[in-house]
Structures are given as structure tokens and as C-alpha cells.
Amino acid sequence: MQELANFTSSLKLEPMKGLPESWQQIQAEWIENTVRVVGQSTSTRENLHYLVREFVHTTAQILEGGPLDLLDPILARWASSLTQTDLESSASDLMRFMGVLVTSALEALITHLEPATALVTYKALLPCFNYAYERLAQHEIEAKITYISNHLSEVQQRLERLDKSKSDFIAIAAHELKTPLTLVEGYTAMLREGLSQPNTDSGELTPMLDGIENGARRLRSIIEDMIDVSLIDNQLLSLNFQPVWLNHLFAILEREFQPAIAERHQTLKIHDFPGSHAVLMGDPERLLQAFRNLLNNAIKFTPDGGKIEVNGRELPGFIEVTITDTGIGIDPDDQAIIFEKFSRLGNVALHSSGKTKFKGGGPGLGLPIAKGIIEAHGGTIWVESEGYDEVRCPGSTFHILIPQQHPSLEGRVADIFASLTPTPTPSE
Ligand code: ADP
């Protein structure tokens, strides 16, 4: 471009005085040539026609003495096509468009003007083109800076969240471990005291032994959860695949949660849904653990008197289980976060060792473990909830998709068991 400018000035041509007489035709052809080369479909052509016409008309105003920055709003509009998702290619599209615009101008000038006049007019147009290139390059740099700084702040936010969740986790883990430990220590001291009394009846010591046992059980469960999270995190969770029936698993859990449901005056309704009798290939212990965590949360985050329902359906290749509660619900912003380990663990002070107490906290590992187990089965888990509202209680529905057969297993093994579709008996 600069070479051409030097060349035209070396020709010592007369400077341009006003627009050439045939400017109307030049303008029309310049626009048509550009649109023909760049526009592919009719709809883009119409839009493009407008954009090019606007540029060409503005250059005419500049040739008649207007300032170059008349082009600014047009160039800013063009630059808005620089998409953040594909900045490189949208920027080179824009530069290619400018190239076509320049060539088309030259073609139109040569067609309608004497060579000398065409060169003078082209020389007069050069500052417009230079200005447009410079401004577009500037817009591109600005778009890149915005993209990079957005990306950086996203990474920074993620790091800050990770950092916070790690320190939250340490605080919660310490708190969660300390609560049962204090129980064990307290009951041990009482037991020692009791045993030192000469006439102590052994029956009086039973509650203390129960307390120690409960505390130790709670400690074990927290430590096991921590180990499971670390296995999942390191992709070391090994599954013992065998035929599983969902109705069996839920029958076990229904019995297990009976005391908690009664204590909280809640209703637990487990439906006999399509697919609940079908044979699945899975690790029964791990699947029980995942559904236990979900039911435990449903009970915990539903007020007294609420309802929890387990339902499902058969989908091609999958069985979908839904666990719905009438509880406090989950804010849409938190619906992905709650499945992340060590994240959004809530207020440490609220955490307690009451497993099914209303809103009783835990170490925040139940959902990450359930997710890890379901995903290790080739399935997926997500939650739906209108939002968090402790007064209105919009409830939550957890969806769990489990493949009917694990791909790594012989289809025949599943087929053999598929014909056996037992229904659970109350004594199971
Ligand atoms: P924990 O229950 O130990 O806090 P989880 O990983 O099981 O940890 O759950 C993480 C968080 O997700 C809970 O603290 C709670 O805020 C939210 N949550 C999980 N299940 C439900 C539910 N059914 N209803 C409302 N909130 C829930």
C-alpha cells in the first residue's frame, strides 16, 4: 500500500479536486464487486450491501474534505463481528473483507476513469483504507486484550474458589472429626468414672459404651468418605460388577431409612417404575452408597412432615432414577457446584454429626462420592430445582442415568440374568 502511494506521488499527478464526474457509477460498481466476491448467500449479500454502501458513501464525504474519523462508527460496527470464541478467524475474515474492498475500488476506478484520474482518485482514497486497516487492527488488539483478561479473571476466580474450598474443607474435616472424637472422649471419661465406683451396675455403663460406639462409627464413616473421595479423584475406584436390580437396592434403603423417616415424620415413597426390575450390571455396594447419600440428603434437606419419592423410567440403553423431595431446594447457581468436592461447603459452624437432622451439615462429600460412583458406572447425575427457599420449599429432583449394561462386560452374562427379574419380597 505504502509502495503504491509512493509510486503515485512520484507520477506528479494533479491532486484531486472534488469527486470525479462518474463517481455514481464507480460507487455502484465498487459496492457490487465487493458484495459479489464476499457475499455467499442472498441474506448475507443484503446485509453486506448495506455495510459496503455505508463505507463507500462515507469515503465520498471524506474525499470531499470530511475528517477520516467519519469512518469510526462503521469500523466499530464491523469490529463487533470479532467473536470472542473464534477471534483469530473472525479477525482474518475482516482483513480479507478489507482486501476485497480495496481491490474492488481499484477495479471500479480503472473501468470508469482515465488511468491518470483513476490513480489520482485511488491515491485520494488511500488514507481512508489506511485508516480503516489501522482502526480494525486496533479493535482486534482490544478484543484480544478483553478476551485474555476475561480468561485470566475466570482462571483467577477458579483458583480463589479452589483455595477457599480447600481451606473450608480442612476446617470442616477438622470440625467433623472433632465432634465424634469429643463424644468418644467424654463417654470414655464417664466409663472410667463409673468403673471406679465399687457398686456400679454393668447396665448403667451400657449408654456410655453405646456413645463410644456411635462416635467411633461416625469417625469411621467420615474417614471412609475421605478415602473414597481420594480414590475417585485419582480414578482408583474399583467396581465389582455383577447383576444388580434397582428395586432390591431401594428395598434395602427403605428399611435402612425407616427410623429416620419416622423420626422426621416424613413419607418415603418408592415407586415400582419401568426398569426397576430390569437387570443392571453394576457394583451393588457402591450403587447402594450413592443412592444412600442422595436419600440421606433428601431427608436432611426436607423439613419434618415432607415427602421423598423415588421414581424412574427406562430409556434406550439407560435407566433413569429420580429422587424428588419437598425440601428447601437448591439455588440454580449452586446446582453444578454441589457436585464438586471441597466446594461450597456452607458455614462450618452449622456442621454437626446429626446425619439426618434437618439441614444438619456433613463434610460435603456425599454428592461428589455419589457422582464419582455413578460416573464410574458410565452414568451421569444432575439436579433440578426451582431454587433455594426455606419457607416455600420448592424441593429438588436428582436425576441419575445408569447404563443398562457395562460396555466392558460380556453381553451374555447380562442376558442370562435378564431372564431372572425377581420382585422383592417384604422380608428381603
Ligand atoms: P453434605 O450433605 O455433607 O453437606 P453433600 O455433598 O451431600 O454434602 O451435599 C452438598 C450440599 O448440597 C449440601 O450441603 C446442601 O447444601 C446441598 N444439597 C444436597 N442435596 C440436597 C437436597 N436434596 N436438597 C437441598 N440441598 C441439597
Side-chain angles (χ1 to χ4, degrees):
M1 190 81 63
Q2 194 53 46
E3 281 162 19
L4 188 63
N6 295 341
F7 169 70
T8 53
S9 47
S10 71
L11 289 176
K12 305 217 177 341
L13 297 164
E14 282 295 307
M16 203 171 90
K17 298 183 191 79
L19 293 170
E21 268 175 29
S22 50
W23 182 252
Q24 288 302 327
Q25 292 103 296
I26 294 169
Q27 218 173 224
E29 191 165 326
W30 181 6
I31 297 168
E32 283 313 316
N33 286 349
T34 312
V35 173
R36 185 169 31 80
V37 178
V38 183
Q40 277 155 9
S41 69
T42 323
S43 59
T44 45
R45 241 179 271 144
E46 274 168 24
N47 192 24
L48 205 63
H49 205 278
Y50 171 78
L51 289 177
V52 179
R53 203 173 55 226
E54 205 183 20
F55 181 86
V56 171
H57 286 179
T58 310
T59 56
Q61 289 176 39
I62 295 169
L63 290 183
E64 286 183 312
L68 282 168
D69 60 16
L70 284 179
L71 287 171
D72 280 352
I74 300 172
L75 298 170
R77 263 197 299 284
W78 290 4
S80 66
S81 71
L82 291 169
T83 55
Q84 291 284 312
T85 44
D86 201 356
L87 193 54
E88 287 303 327
S89 86
S90 57
S92 61
D93 282 351
L94 212 50
M95 288 303 158
R96 218 173 304 127
F97 172 62
M98 268 308 295
V100 175
L101 202 68
V102 173
T103 331
S104 304
L106 194 56
E107 274 172 18
L109 292 172
I110 292 169
T111 312
H112 293 279
L113 298 173
E114 288 296 312
T117 327
L119 267 181
V120 172
T121 317
Y122 190 71
K123 190 184 166 193
L125 280 174
L126 278 179
C128 295
F129 295 142
N130 277 340
Y131 186 79
Y133 271 116
E134 265 171 34
R135 294 293 292 144
L136 288 177
Q138 218 170 319
H139 281 299
E140 187 191 333
I141 291 169
E142 281 163 16
K144 275 187 181 153
I145 292 172
T146 313
Y147 172 76
I148 292 168
S149 59
N150 283 350
H151 193 66
L152 274 179
S153 72
E154 232 174 72
V155 171
Q156 193 182 348
Q157 273 173 12
R158 238 182 288 155
L159 281 176
E160 278 171 7
R161 224 175 61 203
L162 190 72
D163 203 36
K164 181 178 179 314
S165 61
K166 274 192 174 163
S167 51
D168 274 359
F169 174 72
I170 293 167
I172 288 168
H175 180 80
E176 286 288 324
L177 291 171
K178 247 165 91 179
T179 314
L181 203 60
T182 312
L183 270 180
V184 172
E185 282 171 349
Y187 281 118
T188 311
M190 284 163 72
L191 190 63
R192 187 187 298 279
E193 175 74 21
L195 285 173
S196 66
Q197 304 295 321
N199 301 323
T200 309
D201 176 2
S202 66
E204 288 174 34
L205 302 178
T206 313
M208 294 154 208
L209 288 171
D210 288 346
I212 294 172
E213 202 177 2
N214 279 341
R217 200 180 304 126
R218 181 74 191 133
L219 272 178
R220 170 176 287 279
S221 127
I222 296 167
I223 291 165
E224 278 173 356
D225 276 0
M226 288 179 180
I227 293 171
D228 284 345
V229 158
S230 126
L231 288 177
I232 289 166
D233 204 21
N234 294 299
Q235 286 160 12
L236 290 172
L237 190 75
S238 64
L239 297 177
N240 176 17
F241 277 97
Q242 48 186 284
V244 186
W245 288 267
L246 288 173
N247 57 351
H248 277 186
L249 300 186
F250 283 111
I252 294 169
L253 291 172
E254 189 174 24
R255 262 202 318 276
E256 203 177 290
F257 280 111
Q258 203 46 53
I261 290 282
E263 190 191 324
R264 302 282 318 281
H265 307 288
Q266 292 171 335
T267 321
L268 172 62
K269 173 91 189 112
I270 296 176
H271 292 270
D272 201 11
F273 58 87
S276 63
H277 294 253
V279 68
L280 286 179
M281 294 308 286
D283 183 324
E285 283 305 320
R286 288 298 186 182
L287 285 176
L288 257 183
Q289 184 184 3
F291 289 124
R292 181 180 291 119
N293 288 355
L294 295 169
L295 280 177
N296 196 73
N297 279 345
I299 296 172
K300 207 162 61 169
F301 296 104
T302 299
D304 288 4
K307 189 171 180 188
I308 293 129
E309 267 184 278
V310 177
N311 213 334
R313 58 180 174 154
E314 221 166 351
L315 296 170
F318 285 89
I319 294 182
E320 182 184 20
V321 180
T322 52
I323 300 181
T324 306
D325 61 53
T326 57
I328 58 177
I330 302 164
D331 194 288
D333 286 346
D334 292 340
Q335 287 173 14
I337 296 170
I338 53 169
F339 291 101
E340 284 174 25
K341 63 183 191 316
F342 311 153
S343 69
R344 195 58 198 266
L345 298 172
N347 183 353
V348 177
L350 291 177
H351 285 253
S352 77
S353 50
K355 273 205 96 163
T356 50
K357 214 180 90 183
F358 183 42
K359 294 191 288 165
L365 299 177
L367 288 181
I369 291 174
K371 182 175 187 268
I373 293 173
I374 300 298
E375 287 181 352
H377 279 82
T380 176
I381 178 170
W382 72 97
V383 67
E384 261 181 332
S385 174
E386 256 179 53
Y388 173 83
D389 190 333
E390 287 191 25
V391 180
R392 218 167 39 82
C393 282
S396 313
T397 297
F398 282 80
H399 297 256
I400 305 100
L401 275 187
I402 311 174
Q404 292 230 30
Q405 282 181 25
H406 192 265
S408 65
L409 286 163
E410 276 280 324
R412 276 193 309 127
V413 178
D415 289 345
I416 294 166
F417 286 94
S419 56
L420 314 167
T421 51
T423 36
T425 57
S427 59
E428 268 180 299

